[in-house]
């Protein structure tokens, strides 16, 4: 079965980077078997999420993502390619839904 690894993290705001850099400590990770919605949701202090899939897939990120994502490219789903890490901003209470492309 295809899976998506989801890692929630904070942004290290103590340094001046060209781009935000995730903190390595205190991150939380879950593996979602497609199709499904993750069990973890972002905490108030978590501002970024990294996604790494082992198959091309469609993902939706929101407080109530739809696990039956519209795979025709419409709606809130976005397509990600396999084996490439993607980083997105995330808000308190948001989680991830995924299905194979």
């Amino acid at each position: 079965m295809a899976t998506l690894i989801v890692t929630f993290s904070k942004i290290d705001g103590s340094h001046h980077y060209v781009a935000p850099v995730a903190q390595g400590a205190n991150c939380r990770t879950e593996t979602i078997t497609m199709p499904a919605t993750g069990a973890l949701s972002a905490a108030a202090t978590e501002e970024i999420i990294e996604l790494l899939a082992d198959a091309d897939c469609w993902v939706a990120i929101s407080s109530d993502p739809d696990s039956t994502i519209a795979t025709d490219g419409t709606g809130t789903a976005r397509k990600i390619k396999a084996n490439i890490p993607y980083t997105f901003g995330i808000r308190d209470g948001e989680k991830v839904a995924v299905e194979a492309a």
Side-chain angles (χ1 to χ4, degrees), residues 18-34:
V18 174
V21 176
Q23 292 183 346
N26 300 318
C27 64
R28 299 181 302 139
T29 301
E30 72 175 327
T31 301
I32 305 170
T33 301
M34 299 177 205

Side-chain angles (χ1 to χ4, degrees), residues 64-98:
D64 187 23
D66 187 349
S67 62
T68 56
I69 301 165
T71 56
D72 61 359
T74 63
T76 61
R78 58 184 60 144
K79 189 173 185 179
I80 65 173
K81 302 294 277 176
N83 303 313
I84 299 172
Y86 290 84
T87 303
F88 297 101
I90 194 164
R91 295 183 183 151
D92 183 22
E94 291 185 328
K95 54 182 145 183
V96 177
V98 60

Side-chain angles (χ1 to χ4, degrees), residues 12-57:
D12 183 354
S14 64
H15 301 285
H16 299 288
Y17 297 105
V18 174
V21 176
Q23 292 183 346
N26 300 318
C27 64
R28 299 181 302 139
T29 301
E30 72 175 327
T31 301
I32 305 170
T33 301
M34 299 177 205
T37 299
L40 293 179
S41 60
T45 58
E46 295 168 330
E47 299 166 307
I48 62 170
I49 189 168
E50 182 181 85
L51 306 177
L52 180 61
D54 61 8
D56 291 359
C57 59

